[in-house]
Amino acid sequence: MQNENFEEKIKGNPIALLPVAVFLVLYLGLGITFEYILHISMGFYNIPIVAAFLIAIFVACMQNRKLNFDKKMNIMAGALGDRNIFLMILIFLCAGIFAGILGRSSASAAAYLLLDFIPAQFAVVVLFLVAAFVSTAMGTSVGTIAVVSPIAVEVAQMAGFGVPFCVATVIGGAMFGDNLSFISDTTIAATSTQGCKMKDKFHVNFIIALPAALVAVAIITAISFATEARAVAENSYSLVQLIPYVLVLALALTGINVFTVLLVGIVAASVIMVGFGPLNMMGLLQNIGNGISGMYETILVAVLVSALCGLIRIHGGFAALLDFIHKVFKGHRSGQVGVGLLVSALDIATANNTVAIVMAGPIAKQMGDEYRISPKKTASLLDIFSCVVQGILPYGAQMLVALAAISTALPDASVSAFDLIPYMFYPFLLLVSVLVFIAISPRKKKDLNE
């Protein structure tokens, strides 16, 4: 309580935001230079984000001479000792193990199963549904896009649809599922930083996301029926490998503790992949290790961001941001827009929606208290606005992975991010939906206790 009272008296200091500016120059500036000036393939993701954050932390440690280095270390350690950070790390690890055990073959099975039972005219709509289902179950839009995009290219070639149309549809579906998934890193980060239950955040998200998804499906269907489609090729798949996905999704929707859901999923995935799938015990252990190691950078970034935010808060950076927000956004609804603009700006800067949510989380929490926005609404706004930006970002991981899939399947094709963006119906519609939600959603007194 003493620490909280001390922080309430901190005066705004815009210079305390210098470490963030340093990070943006290093990460965003070098990334744009590599990707678009030097034309290095996946150049934006050759920038070590961990190193950029370390430099930013070093800059933060050089500020505020009133605090010695030992006190600054204590501040960072205190930020890392937050219960929500530890909870986030544990869930990241469990989610990584689950995804690592199943690998890509199970996700491909989900895609081919749905495509096996629908007419070619509805193939692109099904791609959206497949991407949404797999992303919801796996908790990763990038992984879903990596798995389903090659199938989308095949569907486009076989059925006669445009490749940008099919692949952009997959990205939209993946962002829809990732935004709603109980085990996605964005959901974990949003709910952990705001201190709300995942099922409560899901209910708010679903109300906002469903209308956007339905309109997107209607547009995709209209375009599909305007195209003369051909039959889609058949592919083999294993139905039993879908059980862990269905089980995790069903348990998550019941509101059971996320650790229980993930542990049940891990056990079921292990039994099925060893007993009925392609893995032996050594392969299982290797996949578990790969799943854990795949979360290392995400976990490390979460840790470094927390430490950096601890220093910036004490130095007055967050107070300066809040002072600016108070001048621009005056009411309950405008405060919600402010939360969205905050996380959107950070997502544009970092090209990583999880990092953006983790960075924006502490400020958004304060804004929620100030503007009487419930934690579940704040968490939903963080996830939704970052999803909108991340889905259409030309240098975002989702877009780059999709373009890489196109280039691998069609080496002679010349498809850029700007060919896909016009077909990114869902992210744009999601933005409209969330703005309408903010405009018509009344403030309720009970929100303060939810």
Side-chain angles (χ1 to χ4, degrees), residues 423-437:
Y423 296 101
M424 300 293 297
F425 306 120
Y426 175 72
F428 290 114
L429 290 168
L430 182 61
L431 176 60
V432 174
S433 183
V434 70
L435 292 177
V436 171
F437 173 81

Side-chain angles (χ1 to χ4, degrees), residues 221-237:
T221 302
I223 295 176
S224 297
F225 271 85
T227 305
E228 186 176 349
R230 302 184 295 269
V232 179
E234 295 183 0
N235 289 273
S236 60
Y237 50 85

Side-chain angles (χ1 to χ4, degrees), residues 42-56:
M42 299 291 284
F44 199 91
Y45 287 87
N46 288 327
I47 308 300
I49 188 172
V50 171
F53 271 118
L54 282 174
I55 295 172

Side-chain angles (χ1 to χ4, degrees), residues 1 24 82 109 154 199 225 336 382 386 390 430 440:
M1 292 297 295
L24 298 182
D82 185 270
E154 180 181 347
K199 65 177 182 179
F225 271 85
Q336 294 180 65
L382 287 172
S386 66
Q390 190 69 23
L430 182 61
I440 67 175

